[in-house]
Amino acid sequence: MSIAQHLHETRNSLPEGVTLVAVSKTKTEADILEAYRAGQRVFGENKVQELVAKAEALPKDIQWHMIGHLQRNKVKYLVGVTHLIHGVDSEKLLQEIDKRAGQAGIVMDCLLQVHIAEEATKFGFDADELTALVESDRLTALKHVRIRGLMGMATFTDNQEQVGREFRSLKTLFDRVHALLPGADILSMGMSGDYPLAIAEGSTMVRIGSRIFGSRNYG
Ligand SMILES: *Cc1c(COP(=O)(O)O)cnc(C)c1O
């Protein structure tokens, strides 16, 4: 099947109200254009340099989402290029985004990344840290970032029970954040292998790569 066919199939499997981020990391501009011609406008990348290069080369009505781990010294390249930063995993990073967005005279939409997996390698706030931050008045001082919601990645495992539990814990936290920050209405969870479960647990945005574009080549 072609990329366009995989894209249609994936889209048709999503309920209304769930946004599809087509994760195009490592994929060529030709692959992305195929998905674009099939109607896709939201794409996700996990490396700043790759995102910026693709944004420069490809149609300007694409919304680029930064879904990977972001280092503070790279924030300046993303501001004004990225529609949504999913992986904000520290207050320092948030402050840097605020500073750079302020210099550019814009407001940057961000998701706070929460560590929900048992794996030690995944980035993010833990639940207590996140709650403390959102309940504090420290966010109101940041005039150039807008917290649009939360993002998380479940453990990479076949254990559906565990993955469901992790998504559920993120949804619970999301409901709490949403009550405090009404503009935080995005819950980004679910990838090729686990997105139906993520949707069942309340996801509003899924990040799907290999199911659309095929497996990735890291060379
Ligand atoms: C690569 C990636 C995805 C997409 O993964 P697939 O399994 O290919 O769907 C989703 N989210 C993040 C943060 C990623 O880095």
Side-chain angles (χ1 to χ4, degrees):
M1 273 204 307
S2 67
I3 289 171
Q5 284 169 317
H6 282 292
L7 178 69
H8 286 305
E9 212 186 63
T10 303
R11 270 220 212 101
N12 289 338
S13 70
L14 301 179
E16 212 164 308
V18 174
T19 302
L20 171 63
V21 179
V23 176
S24 50
K25 62 194 189 195
T26 79
K27 295 299 167 182
T28 63
E29 290 169 13
D31 287 344
I32 295 171
L33 278 173
E34 186 179 342
Y36 178 87
R37 286 192 202 101
Q40 184 65 23
R41 292 295 180 271
V42 182
F43 291 88
E45 291 284 336
N46 71 338
K47 294 211 157 55
V48 171
Q49 210 176 353
E50 190 175 340
L51 185 154
V52 169
K54 286 174 175 172
E56 243 168 55
L58 289 163
K60 298 306 168 220
D61 60 341
I62 289 179
Q63 285 185 11
W64 294 99
H65 289 205
M66 174 62 188
I67 63 168
H69 179 64
L70 177 57
Q71 290 169 307
R72 265 184 288 159
N73 62 359
K74 303 239 171 107
V75 168
K76 55 180 178 282
Y77 304 115
L78 279 186
V79 165
V81 178
T82 315
H83 188 80
L84 180 65
I85 300 176
H86 287 232
V88 178
D89 60 358
S90 75
E91 208 172 328
K92 284 202 151 137
L93 179 59
L94 200 59
Q95 287 162 349
E96 175 66 13
I97 296 169
D98 183 68
K99 178 179 133 192
R100 296 291 178 176
Q103 288 168 354
I106 62 168
V107 175
M108 199 53 250
D109 279 353
C110 296
L111 303 181
L112 300 175
Q113 184 171 357
V114 186
H115 185 273
I116 52 169
E118 281 177 9
E119 291 151 299
T121 52
K122 290 193 172 144
F123 297 100
F125 290 95
D126 67 38
D128 292 341
E129 266 179 326
L130 183 93
T131 310
L133 174 62
V134 173
E135 286 175 349
S136 76
D137 55 8
R138 302 198 295 281
L139 287 180
T140 44
L142 306 176
K143 302 293 184 206
H144 298 277
V145 292
R146 189 161 41 214
I147 305 299
R148 292 299 313 277
L150 303 182
M151 179 269 211
M153 292 169 83
T155 303
F156 188 70
T157 171
D158 289 333
N159 184 340
Q160 298 294 294
E161 183 61 36
Q162 181 182 351
V163 172
R165 199 165 55 233
E166 291 173 359
F167 285 148
R168 227 155 20 246
S169 72
L170 186 57
K171 174 63 160 69
T172 302
L173 204 54
F174 172 71
D175 289 340
R176 214 179 300 158
V177 170
H178 180 68
L180 291 163
L181 309 171
D185 55 3
I186 299 173
L187 179 54
S188 168
M189 63 181 193
M191 309 172 32
S192 291
D194 59 18
Y195 78 90
L197 195 49
I199 290 169
E201 297 297 346
S203 171
T204 71
M205 184 174 277
V206 292
R207 309 175 309 270
I208 298 181
S210 46
R211 186 184 150 102
I212 296 169
F213 292 106
S215 56
R216 284 178 286 274
N217 297 315
Y218 291 103

